[in-house]
Amino acid sequence: MRLSRFFLPILRETPKEAEIASHRLMLRAGMIRQEAAGIYSFLPLGFRVLQKVCQIVREEQNRSGAIELLMPTIQSADLWRESGRYDAYGKEMLRIKDRHDRDMLYGPTNEEMITAIFRSYVRSYKDLPLNLYHIQWKFRDEVRPRFGLMRGREFLMKDAYSFDLDFEGAKHAYNRMFVAYLRTFARMGLRSIPMVAESGPIGGNLSHEFIILADTGESEVFCHSDYLGFDVPGPDVDFGNVATLQKIVDQWTSLYAATSDKHDEAAYAALSGDKRLSARGIEVGHIFYFGTKYSTPMKALVAGPDGVERPVHMGSYGIGPSRLVGAIIEAFHDEVGIKWPQPVAPFQVIILNLKQGGSDTDAACEQLYAALTAKGIDTLYHDLDERPGAKFATADLIGIPWQILVGPRSLAEGKIELKRRSDGLRELLSPTDALIRLSA
RNA sequence: CGGGGUAUAGCGCAGCCUGGUAGCGCGGCAGUUUUGGGUACUGCAGGUCGCAGGUUCAAAUCCUGCUGCCCCGACCA
């Protein structure tokens, strides 16, 4: 992509409403635009990151055996009357009426709808286990939205719903998501720590929040520092193997880890001093087992091998991709801008032509741009007529992992400069060597 | 939902106290200049001063009401 043909509205000054780093940087980098309190447009750069995040989430959901579908944002109130939540949910739910004066709502979550889908088609234990998920916009009319994408009213959520015949099956479904979540966040460069959680208004009694540590996190968390060193399961983990998954989950739940809501001062104090980790955290995922909370009132029944019908055991599993975009920035930035982990970066490489209009630099940039593009590497070519300093500032701000600096000084020796955004490491290389390096 | 702020050009702000028909920086456009860390200069464009009422010869400025947005707290992916 040539910057001259892209839409990247960089802000030189920070809008006053942005307090935390991710919000400030997303606005400045032209990733998002606020439309109302807690409601944002994703501009092209931000949308690219959001799509990268969704794709990783999707791949790991699929790997674990979950199946993607897509439910609507607007739901009928009748569905929620069945579960009793239409009255219980409160003002967080955006309630609307259609032209026939029917009660509708903008979905804050989809337990009711997925249960209705399930009961329409599934009658037998032979169709289980089943895990259905979608990635769809949610609306929760938060009293006080804040921190940009971290706490929006409209937000993108991956929500998965598992269906099993009994608790044992549901436990394995829970473990599958547990392991998938560890992998999902790790692939984005994040170390997530599962913490014992309140089950909240969704209900249930087996629940973990996946927290990543960041100074600007909303919650105060306490955990054993060994969590930082645990191995994350590899891509070859056998999601069908009950014992294997249980072993992984047992390890990742063996040590103390809790948010301030569930904090047990005594248990924490019992840890040896050098293992105590007290920090701020951001909740990026939340998983629940809630048994038959919805299947019973909504009559989602399946026949077991004995022919007896019983309510299906369910769990729900959420990840907030739009929040993750903010969370990743909280974890990876410095004073001048974002430092995207490679897997979620909107572009892999940015070429900075330090003398736009110079025949040598232009030619070298065009060649690099063509070669990188041919190799399938997402490349942004900064081809605007700007001062080198402005280009450096832009590149650092938007945080593309690799910068290729093409200027007359190094080009005289047949070299370009390759700069890594994460640590500022610079190397003088021939364009050919740079290509090899970036293709690796 | 309680408490506190704020609203003037795309962004950041001054002007309001003491009423007289709107200004600065950045950004944008045209040009000159410069070419390895946001260069300098010239010119130009851009504003229903959040909305509605009121007071006044005259309102960005004073009064009343409303709304949006932000921050702190209680609540959530």
mmCIF file of all heavy atoms in Angstrom, chain A residues 320-344:
data_model
loop_
_atom_site.group_PDB
_atom_site.id
_atom_site.type_symbol
_atom_site.label_atom_id
_atom_site.label_comp_id
_atom_site.label_asym_id
_atom_site.label_seq_id
_atom_site.Cartn_x
_atom_site.Cartn_y
_atom_site.Cartn_z
ATOM 1 N N GLY A 320 -12.964 -10.195 23.772
ATOM 2 C CA GLY A 320 -13.293 -8.908 23.165
ATOM 3 C C GLY A 320 -12.211 -8.453 22.202
ATOM 4 O O GLY A 320 -11.244 -7.812 22.623
ATOM 5 N N PRO A 321 -12.361 -8.757 20.911
ATOM 6 C CA PRO A 321 -11.315 -8.360 19.958
ATOM 7 C C PRO A 321 -11.090 -6.856 19.918
ATOM 8 O O PRO A 321 -9.942 -6.401 19.812
ATOM 9 C CB PRO A 321 -11.847 -8.868 18.613
ATOM 10 C CG PRO A 321 -12.747 -9.996 18.966
ATOM 11 C CD PRO A 321 -13.392 -9.583 20.254
ATOM 12 N N SER A 322 -12.149 -6.072 20.020
ATOM 13 C CA SER A 322 -11.938 -4.622 19.962
ATOM 14 C C SER A 322 -11.195 -4.146 21.213
ATOM 15 O O SER A 322 -10.309 -3.297 21.131
ATOM 16 C CB SER A 322 -13.261 -3.877 19.777
ATOM 17 O OG SER A 322 -14.249 -4.317 20.680
ATOM 18 N N ARG A 323 -11.520 -4.742 22.354
ATOM 19 C CA ARG A 323 -10.768 -4.399 23.550
ATOM 20 C C ARG A 323 -9.319 -4.873 23.432
ATOM 21 O O ARG A 323 -8.391 -4.190 23.895
ATOM 22 C CB ARG A 323 -11.403 -5.028 24.788
ATOM 23 C CG ARG A 323 -10.499 -4.914 26.015
ATOM 24 C CD ARG A 323 -11.086 -5.545 27.238
ATOM 25 N NE ARG A 323 -12.118 -4.709 27.829
ATOM 26 C CZ ARG A 323 -12.718 -4.982 28.983
ATOM 27 N NH1 ARG A 323 -12.397 -6.068 29.647
ATOM 28 N NH2 ARG A 323 -13.628 -4.172 29.465
ATOM 29 N N LEU A 324 -9.139 -6.032 22.802
ATOM 30 C CA LEU A 324 -7.780 -6.563 22.651
ATOM 31 C C LEU A 324 -6.884 -5.603 21.884
ATOM 32 O O LEU A 324 -5.700 -5.474 22.189
ATOM 33 C CB LEU A 324 -7.826 -7.905 21.913
ATOM 34 C CG LEU A 324 -7.803 -9.154 22.782
ATOM 35 C CD1 LEU A 324 -8.040 -10.376 21.923
ATOM 36 C CD2 LEU A 324 -6.483 -9.282 23.529
ATOM 37 N N VAL A 325 -7.452 -4.941 20.886
ATOM 38 C CA VAL A 325 -6.644 -3.994 20.125
ATOM 39 C C VAL A 325 -6.067 -2.948 21.086
ATOM 40 O O VAL A 325 -4.871 -2.638 21.054
ATOM 41 C CB VAL A 325 -7.480 -3.312 19.019
ATOM 42 C CG1 VAL A 325 -6.672 -2.220 18.335
ATOM 43 C CG2 VAL A 325 -7.950 -4.344 17.995
ATOM 44 N N GLY A 326 -6.917 -2.448 21.974
ATOM 45 C CA GLY A 326 -6.435 -1.494 22.964
ATOM 46 C C GLY A 326 -5.464 -2.128 23.942
ATOM 47 O O GLY A 326 -4.431 -1.551 24.281
ATOM 48 N N ALA A 327 -5.776 -3.330 24.368
ATOM 49 C CA ALA A 327 -4.942 -4.009 25.362
ATOM 50 C C ALA A 327 -3.540 -4.271 24.809
ATOM 51 O O ALA A 327 -2.542 -4.141 25.518
ATOM 52 C CB ALA A 327 -5.601 -5.322 25.782
ATOM 53 N N ILE A 328 -3.476 -4.629 23.554
ATOM 54 C CA ILE A 328 -2.167 -4.901 22.943
ATOM 55 C C ILE A 328 -1.336 -3.614 22.931
ATOM 56 O O ILE A 328 -0.138 -3.628 23.220
ATOM 57 C CB ILE A 328 -2.348 -5.457 21.515
ATOM 58 C CG1 ILE A 328 -2.954 -6.861 21.566
ATOM 59 C CG2 ILE A 328 -1.003 -5.495 20.774
ATOM 60 C CD1 ILE A 328 -3.467 -7.376 20.236
ATOM 61 N N ILE A 329 -1.981 -2.498 22.639
ATOM 62 C CA ILE A 329 -1.241 -1.232 22.659
ATOM 63 C C ILE A 329 -0.781 -0.896 24.068
ATOM 64 O O ILE A 329 0.348 -0.445 24.270
ATOM 65 C CB ILE A 329 -2.101 -0.094 22.083
ATOM 66 C CG1 ILE A 329 -2.400 -0.357 20.614
ATOM 67 C CG2 ILE A 329 -1.387 1.252 22.251
ATOM 68 C CD1 ILE A 329 -3.350 0.639 19.987
ATOM 69 N N GLU A 330 -1.648 -1.145 25.046
ATOM 70 C CA GLU A 330 -1.234 -0.892 26.426
ATOM 71 C C GLU A 330 0.033 -1.681 26.753
ATOM 72 O O GLU A 330 0.914 -1.208 27.464
ATOM 73 C CB GLU A 330 -2.344 -1.252 27.409
ATOM 74 C CG GLU A 330 -3.561 -0.334 27.380
ATOM 75 C CD GLU A 330 -3.219 1.103 27.743
ATOM 76 O OE1 GLU A 330 -2.278 1.323 28.516
ATOM 77 O OE2 GLU A 330 -3.897 2.016 27.228
ATOM 78 N N ALA A 331 0.104 -2.880 26.222
ATOM 79 C CA ALA A 331 1.252 -3.740 26.518
ATOM 80 C C ALA A 331 2.478 -3.403 25.666
ATOM 81 O O ALA A 331 3.607 -3.659 26.070
ATOM 82 C CB ALA A 331 0.866 -5.209 26.325
ATOM 83 N N PHE A 332 2.237 -2.845 24.483
ATOM 84 C CA PHE A 332 3.349 -2.606 23.564
ATOM 85 C C PHE A 332 3.355 -1.179 23.011
ATOM 86 O O PHE A 332 2.804 -0.922 21.937
ATOM 87 C CB PHE A 332 3.296 -3.592 22.381
ATOM 88 C CG PHE A 332 3.388 -5.030 22.782
ATOM 89 C CD1 PHE A 332 2.248 -5.820 22.842
ATOM 90 C CD2 PHE A 332 4.615 -5.607 23.097
ATOM 91 C CE1 PHE A 332 2.323 -7.156 23.222
ATOM 92 C CE2 PHE A 332 4.697 -6.938 23.479
ATOM 93 C CZ PHE A 332 3.554 -7.711 23.546
ATOM 94 N N HIS A 333 3.952 -0.281 23.757
ATOM 95 C CA HIS A 333 4.099 1.088 23.252
ATOM 96 C C HIS A 333 5.223 1.783 24.005
ATOM 97 O O HIS A 333 5.696 1.288 25.021
ATOM 98 C CB HIS A 333 2.789 1.876 23.423
ATOM 99 C CG HIS A 333 2.491 2.225 24.863
ATOM 100 N ND1 HIS A 333 1.834 1.380 25.713
ATOM 101 C CD2 HIS A 333 2.797 3.321 25.587
ATOM 102 C CE1 HIS A 333 1.740 1.933 26.912
ATOM 103 N NE2 HIS A 333 2.320 3.119 26.866
ATOM 104 N N ASP A 334 5.659 2.908 23.487
ATOM 105 C CA ASP A 334 6.574 3.761 24.238
ATOM 106 C C ASP A 334 6.106 5.204 24.090
ATOM 107 O O ASP A 334 4.973 5.439 23.665
ATOM 108 C CB ASP A 334 8.033 3.560 23.785
ATOM 109 C CG ASP A 334 8.224 3.869 22.303
ATOM 110 O OD1 ASP A 334 7.357 4.563 21.718
ATOM 111 O OD2 ASP A 334 9.237 3.430 21.735
ATOM 112 N N GLU A 335 6.954 6.166 24.429
ATOM 113 C CA GLU A 335 6.530 7.568 24.444
ATOM 114 C C GLU A 335 6.092 8.053 23.062
ATOM 115 O O GLU A 335 5.209 8.897 22.944
ATOM 116 C CB GLU A 335 7.648 8.515 24.916
ATOM 117 C CG GLU A 335 8.569 8.005 25.977
ATOM 118 C CD GLU A 335 9.516 6.931 25.447
ATOM 119 O OE1 GLU A 335 10.279 7.218 24.502
ATOM 120 O OE2 GLU A 335 9.469 5.799 25.959
ATOM 121 N N VAL A 336 6.711 7.512 22.019
ATOM 122 C CA VAL A 336 6.445 8.062 20.690
ATOM 123 C C VAL A 336 5.412 7.289 19.900
ATOM 124 O O VAL A 336 4.937 7.774 18.868
ATOM 125 C CB VAL A 336 7.740 8.189 19.862
ATOM 126 C CG1 VAL A 336 8.674 9.204 20.488
ATOM 127 C CG2 VAL A 336 8.430 6.849 19.707
ATOM 128 N N GLY A 337 5.056 6.103 20.345
ATOM 129 C CA GLY A 337 4.054 5.395 19.571
ATOM 130 C C GLY A 337 3.883 3.931 19.921
ATOM 131 O O GLY A 337 4.348 3.454 20.956
ATOM 132 N N ILE A 338 3.200 3.257 19.008
ATOM 133 C CA ILE A 338 2.842 1.856 19.186
ATOM 134 C C ILE A 338 3.999 0.973 18.725
ATOM 135 O O ILE A 338 4.775 1.365 17.849
ATOM 136 C CB ILE A 338 1.578 1.542 18.355
ATOM 137 C CG1 ILE A 338 0.435 2.500 18.744
ATOM 138 C CG2 ILE A 338 1.131 0.093 18.539
ATOM 139 C CD1 ILE A 338 -0.721 2.509 17.767
ATOM 140 N N LYS A 339 4.096 -0.211 19.311
ATOM 141 C CA LYS A 339 5.085 -1.189 18.853
ATOM 142 C C LYS A 339 4.354 -2.515 18.637
ATOM 143 O O LYS A 339 4.328 -3.370 19.520
ATOM 144 C CB LYS A 339 6.187 -1.360 19.896
ATOM 145 C CG LYS A 339 6.885 -0.054 20.258
ATOM 146 C CD LYS A 339 8.221 -0.260 20.931
ATOM 147 C CE LYS A 339 8.101 -0.554 22.393
ATOM 148 N NZ LYS A 339 9.428 -0.437 23.082
ATOM 149 N N TRP A 340 3.729 -2.650 17.480
ATOM 150 C CA TRP A 340 2.887 -3.834 17.240
ATOM 151 C C TRP A 340 3.686 -5.125 17.266
ATOM 152 O O TRP A 340 4.717 -5.230 16.608
ATOM 153 C CB TRP A 340 2.217 -3.745 15.866
ATOM 154 C CG TRP A 340 1.179 -2.682 15.763
ATOM 155 C CD1 TRP A 340 1.233 -1.583 14.972
ATOM 156 C CD2 TRP A 340 -0.062 -2.617 16.462
ATOM 157 N NE1 TRP A 340 0.093 -0.828 15.149
ATOM 158 C CE2 TRP A 340 -0.712 -1.446 16.055
ATOM 159 C CE3 TRP A 340 -0.695 -3.445 17.395
ATOM 160 C CZ2 TRP A 340 -1.958 -1.069 16.551
ATOM 161 C CZ3 TRP A 340 -1.931 -3.061 17.885
ATOM 162 C CH2 TRP A 340 -2.553 -1.890 17.463
ATOM 163 N N PRO A 341 3.170 -6.118 17.979
ATOM 164 C CA PRO A 341 3.716 -7.464 17.792
ATOM 165 C C PRO A 341 3.440 -7.875 16.337
ATOM 166 O O PRO A 341 2.365 -7.554 15.798
ATOM 167 C CB PRO A 341 2.895 -8.326 18.757
ATOM 168 C CG PRO A 341 2.268 -7.373 19.723
ATOM 169 C CD PRO A 341 2.088 -6.080 18.973
ATOM 170 N N GLN A 342 4.368 -8.549 15.750
ATOM 171 C CA GLN A 342 4.253 -8.871 14.326
ATOM 172 C C GLN A 342 2.911 -9.517 13.927
ATOM 173 O O GLN A 342 2.329 -9.148 12.907
ATOM 174 C CB GLN A 342 5.453 -9.759 13.932
ATOM 175 C CG GLN A 342 5.482 -10.192 12.487
ATOM 176 C CD GLN A 342 4.699 -11.475 12.278
ATOM 177 O OE1 GLN A 342 4.661 -12.325 13.165
ATOM 178 N NE2 GLN A 342 4.049 -11.585 11.124
ATOM 179 N N PRO A 343 2.370 -10.479 14.704
ATOM 180 C CA PRO A 343 1.163 -11.169 14.233
ATOM 181 C C PRO A 343 -0.078 -10.275 14.091
ATOM 182 O O PRO A 343 -1.004 -10.637 13.386
ATOM 183 C CB PRO A 343 0.918 -12.240 15.302
ATOM 184 C CG PRO A 343 2.229 -12.419 15.979
ATOM 185 C CD PRO A 343 2.872 -11.069 15.963
ATOM 186 N N VAL A 344 -0.113 -9.154 14.774
ATOM 187 C CA VAL A 344 -1.299 -8.306 14.690
ATOM 188 C C VAL A 344 -1.011 -6.956 14.025
ATOM 189 O O VAL A 344 -1.884 -6.097 13.942
ATOM 190 C CB VAL A 344 -1.918 -8.043 16.082
ATOM 191 C CG1 VAL A 344 -2.425 -9.334 16.688
ATOM 192 C CG2 VAL A 344 -0.919 -7.368 17.007
#
